[in-house]
C-alpha cells in the first residue's frame, strides 16, 4: 500500500530495492548542487537506512516517488530539521534530472503537506538556498509562503512555511 497517492504519483516507503534508483539520483551533481557533494552507493544506502529509521521513530520520512506506471521520479516527504533555533517539520524533495520540469515535485510536496496537516502537524517549512529558484517555486506551489531569509549553515536561505509567523512583540 502506498503512503500517499496523487493524480500522477505514488509515494512509498523507501526499501533496499530502491538502492539502484536512489544511488543514480544522488550521484548526479546537478541534483546535489545545493548539498555538500554527490553521494556514492554507500551514501545512498545510508539515506535509505536513515529514512527507514525515521518511519519507525516519527511515522514519516522521505518517501520514494514513482509515477503510476512505476517510473522512479525521486523522493519527497517530511523530516525534522533544526533551523533558526527551533525544530521544524520540513517538506523535502529531490527529483532525477530526467524527471524534472513536469511539476512532479510540487504535486508530491502538496500531498505531503496535506498529509502532515491530517496528522495534526499545522506548521510545515521548506528550507531553501537563496539560489535554488526551482525549489522556491515548488515551495510556493505546495502552498507555503516566504517567512524569512536567514543564515543556515553559512548560506543565505529562504524559510518558507505553511503558517507564517510575524515578528514577536519585542522585535
Ligand atoms: C527542486 C526540484 C525538485 C524541482 O523540480 P521540478 O518539479 O521538476 O521543478 P520544475 O523544473 O518544474 O520547476 C519548478 C518551477 O521553478 C521554475 N524554475 C525552474 N528553474 C528556474 C530558474 N532557473 N529560475 C527561475 N525559475 C525556475 C519553473 O519554471 C517552475 O515554475 P512554475 O511552477 O511556475 O511552472 C528539482 O529541481 C530538484 O530535484 N533539484 C535538486 C534537489 C533540490 O535542490 N531539492 C530541493 C532542496 S531545498
Amino acid at each position: 500500500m502506498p503512503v500517499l497517492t496523487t493524480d500522477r504519483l505514488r509515494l512509498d516507503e523507501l526499501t533496499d530495492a530502491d538502492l539502484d534508483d536512489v544511488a543514480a539520483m544522488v550521484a548526479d551533481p546537478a541534483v546535489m548542487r545545493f548539498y555538500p557533494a554527490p553521494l556514492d552507493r554507500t551514501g545512498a544506502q545510508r539515506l535509505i537506512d536513515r529514512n527507514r529509521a525515521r518511519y519507525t521513530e516519527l511515522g514519516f520520512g522521505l518517501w520514494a516517488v514513482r509515477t503510476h506506471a512505476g517510473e522512479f521520479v525521486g523522493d519527497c516527504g517530511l523530516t525534522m530539521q533544526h533551523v533558526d533555533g527551533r525544530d521544524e517539520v520540513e517538506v523535502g524533495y529531490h527529483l532525477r534530472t530526467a524527471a524534472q520540469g513536469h511539476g512532479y515535485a510540487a504535486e508530491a510536496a502538496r500531498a505531503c503537506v496535506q498529509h502532515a496537516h491530517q496528522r495534526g502537524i499545522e506548521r510545515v517549512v521548506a528550507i531553501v538556498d537563496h539560489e535554488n529558484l526551482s525549489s522556491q517555486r515548488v515551495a510556493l506551489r505546495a502552498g507555503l509562503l516566504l517567512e524569512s531569509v536567514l543564515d543556515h549553515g553559512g548560506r543565505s536561505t529562504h524559510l518558507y512555511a505553511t503558517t507564517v509567523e510575524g515578528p514577536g512583540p519585542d522585535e
Side-chain angles (χ1 to χ4, degrees):
M1 277 289 288
V3 179
L4 289 171
T5 56
T6 68
D7 284 351
R8 293 181 295 170
L9 304 170
R10 60 178 285 161
L11 280 67
D12 293 274
E13 289 193 354
L14 285 159
T15 72
D16 290 346
D18 296 311
L19 181 57
D20 286 348
D21 286 331
V22 171
M25 179 175 76
V26 297
D28 180 347
V31 172
M32 301 303 282
R33 176 170 163 220
F34 294 101
Y35 293 86
L39 298 178
D40 61 12
R41 199 170 171 84
T42 305
Q45 180 68 61
R46 284 203 192 105
L47 186 153
I48 292 171
D49 294 345
R50 192 161 58 246
N51 282 291
R52 295 200 60 76
R54 286 173 171 145
Y55 306 148
T56 306
E57 287 161 23
L58 304 168
F60 54 76
L62 294 173
W63 296 297
V65 182
R66 286 193 170 75
T67 63
H68 290 299
E71 182 201 354
F72 180 80
V73 166
D75 67 47
C76 182
L78 304 167
T79 63
M80 294 301 304
Q81 299 292 336
H82 194 74
V83 59
D84 207 19
R86 48 197 269 181
D87 293 323
E88 302 268 24
V89 175
E90 184 190 35
V91 59
Y93 31 80
H94 311 90
L95 261 55
R96 285 195 311 124
T97 299
Q100 292 179 17
H102 300 286
Y104 289 146
E107 185 170 325
R110 257 196 313 274
C112 289
V113 169
Q114 279 168 11
H115 181 72
H117 291 338
Q118 280 162 8
R119 300 174 64 118
I121 301 165
E122 278 309 310
R123 183 174 158 87
V124 178
V125 305
I127 305 158
V128 186
D129 190 282
H130 75 289
E131 289 184 4
N132 196 347
L133 300 180
S134 57
S135 179
Q136 291 171 30
R137 290 289 308 156
V138 170
L140 288 170
R141 291 188 63 199
L144 282 64
L145 295 171
L146 179 61
E147 179 173 280
S148 59
V149 178
L150 45 91
D151 181 279
H152 184 63
R155 297 278 301 175
S156 172
T157 301
H158 290 199
L159 183 67
Y160 289 83
T162 47
T163 56
V164 176
E165 301 190 348
D170 299 333
E171 293 175 76

